[in-house]
Amino acid sequence: MNDGPGMSLIVRMVSRWLLGFVFVYGLGVALFGHLTPGGGFVGGVVVACALVMSILAFGGKQGPGAFLARAVTTLDAAGALMFLALALFGYVAGCFFTNWIARGEPATFGSTWFVILMNVAILVKVGAGAFAGFLAIVAFGHILDAEEGRP
Amino acid sequence: MEPTFYGLLVFLIIGSIVALEMKDILSSVIAVGVVGLALSILFLLLGAPDIAITQVVVEIIVVTVLIRAAARSGRVEMTRRPDLVSTVLGLILVLCFCGFALAALETLRPFGGARPLVGHWYLVNAEAGTGCANAVMAILLDFRGYDTLGEATVILTAILGAVVLLRPKAREEEAEPAVVPGVPAEVAHE
């Protein structure tokens, strides 16, 4: 049943249907982290789970996982730097880590853009980081070996 | 809640012992996954949905990675003879730990009871001070932003280190025999 890269046809079909949902769920958990349980870390790990599923199902050459695999370390660093930049911009309002962006109505989505942006930074950072960890531990040896014909 | 809670606690302990004592590494990894999922239900029962979600999600990705790694390394049999000295030492350590833990638990406040001063201030001022309806996120990303920055740095360093050490190029360098100048590679390899 192992025709082509990745897993069997059934697994690839089911992952194709599920991938988008898992991805959007991760984004939603991260974006609404300031209102509901969840947040950037959890959302990032869910997004990383979607990418891991893509890599496991489609192999290392197709799918969103393979597309993002080349940029993981860059994204990881970009997320961390975005977090640091948001903290540094606090100096605009006086000191490090000040909640400096204007706030909206309480308990609505736009109630605090600062925390939303922080969550997005952590989402990028943790998503790329967890995915990079998976790639380092599993995929670099396993999938790349298989594609280059090594045993 | 009480019987479910204590039942899950006992289940956690049994699952951990199973994970430790399994001879087959794949079964061991699956036992670890079961323990993690039970732990997330415990967090939910204790009223910490944020931690429960984190636990469940991290457990899923860790078990996926471990199963993939275990499947790659084939069937690894763990053969370890029980050693009398280490067993006795381990038992003494467990007893010491339990004694200290009991002594420490008596000084704790009752669960869900009066909060320490700082924690209470955070809870009262979370919404007004940051605009976050979720108090956990208010503390993580606003009041205690420094802690989160440190955490992010730790993850970044750990991941970059893992990627640098485990990337295919590093493995190839390690796998290739050292080339001695002036000697053909086959000869040097023999």
Side-chain angles (χ1 to χ4, degrees):
Chain A
M1 281 302 284
N2 211 342
D3 44 346
M7 292 191 179
S8 68
L9 181 66
I10 298 170
V11 178
R12 273 186 280 160
M13 201 67 203
V14 173
S15 332
R16 196 169 298 159
W17 286 344
L18 282 181
L19 255 178
F21 288 108
V22 179
F23 208 86
V24 171
Y25 180 65
L27 292 184
V29 165
L31 283 179
F32 287 86
H34 60 299
L35 298 176
T36 54
F41 189 88
V42 179
V45 179
V46 172
V47 166
C49 279
L51 296 176
V52 164
M53 182 163 79
S54 152
I55 283 273
L56 287 181
F58 305 120
K61 286 204 172 161
Q62 312 169 13
F67 177 70
L68 281 176
R70 293 180 210 114
V72 271
T73 43
T74 317
L75 282 176
D76 193 8
L81 286 179
M82 182 177 164
F83 189 84
L84 187 63
L86 277 168
L88 281 176
F89 270 120
Y91 281 120
V92 171
C95 72
F96 204 46
F97 271 116
T98 311
N99 192 335
W100 54 278
I101 302 177
R103 292 210 294 274
E105 221 171 295
T108 57
F109 178 74
S111 58
T112 165
W113 283 100
F114 180 73
V115 176
I116 294 175
L117 287 176
M118 287 282 213
N119 266 329
V120 169
I122 294 181
L123 165 85
V124 172
K125 211 225 101 55
V126 172
F131 185 48
F134 165 80
L135 284 179
I137 294 170
V138 177
F140 277 173
H142 194 67
I143 289 163
L144 300 180
D145 277 5
E147 279 176 358
E148 288 164 22
R150 278 179 291 184
Chain B
M1 174 200 158
E2 292 286 308
T4 324
F5 186 76
Y6 288 111
L8 273 173
L9 270 183
V10 173
F11 180 76
L12 273 185
I13 295 172
I14 294 174
S16 313
I17 294 173
V18 167
L20 276 176
E21 292 298 324
M22 273 291 172
K23 294 279 181 285
D24 179 18
I25 201 161
L26 194 57
S27 319
S28 189
V29 167
I30 291 170
V32 168
V34 170
V35 168
L37 293 182
L39 187 61
S40 77
I41 299 176
L42 268 187
F43 282 136
L44 201 59
L45 288 178
L46 285 174
D50 274 283
I51 304 184
I53 295 177
T54 312
Q55 171 69 29
V56 104
V57 166
V58 170
E59 194 66 38
I60 284 171
I61 197 163
V62 164
V63 166
T64 311
V65 168
L66 283 181
I67 283 182
R68 199 67 188 180
R72 188 181 185 223
S73 60
R75 289 181 69 82
V76 180
E77 300 282 317
M78 312 281 279
T79 47
R80 183 174 55 91
R81 291 239 178 96
D83 179 6
L84 184 68
V85 178
S86 59
T87 311
V88 170
L89 273 179
L91 277 179
I92 292 174
L93 268 178
V94 165
L95 284 180
C96 285
F97 177 78
C98 286
F100 279 118
L102 277 180
L105 279 178
E106 282 184 0
T107 67
L108 280 183
R109 292 156 195 271
F111 180 73
R115 295 180 192 87
L117 199 60
V118 181
H120 190 65
W121 188 89
Y122 281 160
L123 276 185
V124 170
N125 290 297
E127 172 111 40
T130 67
C132 283
N134 181 3
V136 176
M137 213 33 71
I139 292 172
L140 269 183
L141 291 184
D142 203 316
F143 293 136
R144 293 297 181 106
Y146 269 118
D147 290 355
T148 310
L149 182 64
E151 199 182 295
T153 316
V154 167
I155 298 179
L156 180 75
T157 319
I159 293 295
L160 286 186
V163 169
V164 166
L165 282 179
L166 296 170
R167 71 194 194 282
K169 207 178 168 191
R171 289 191 181 183
E172 277 164 19
E173 278 164 12
E174 200 174 301
E176 276 174 14
V179 178
V180 184
V183 182
E186 305 88 34
V187 179
H189 196 57
E190 282 164 13

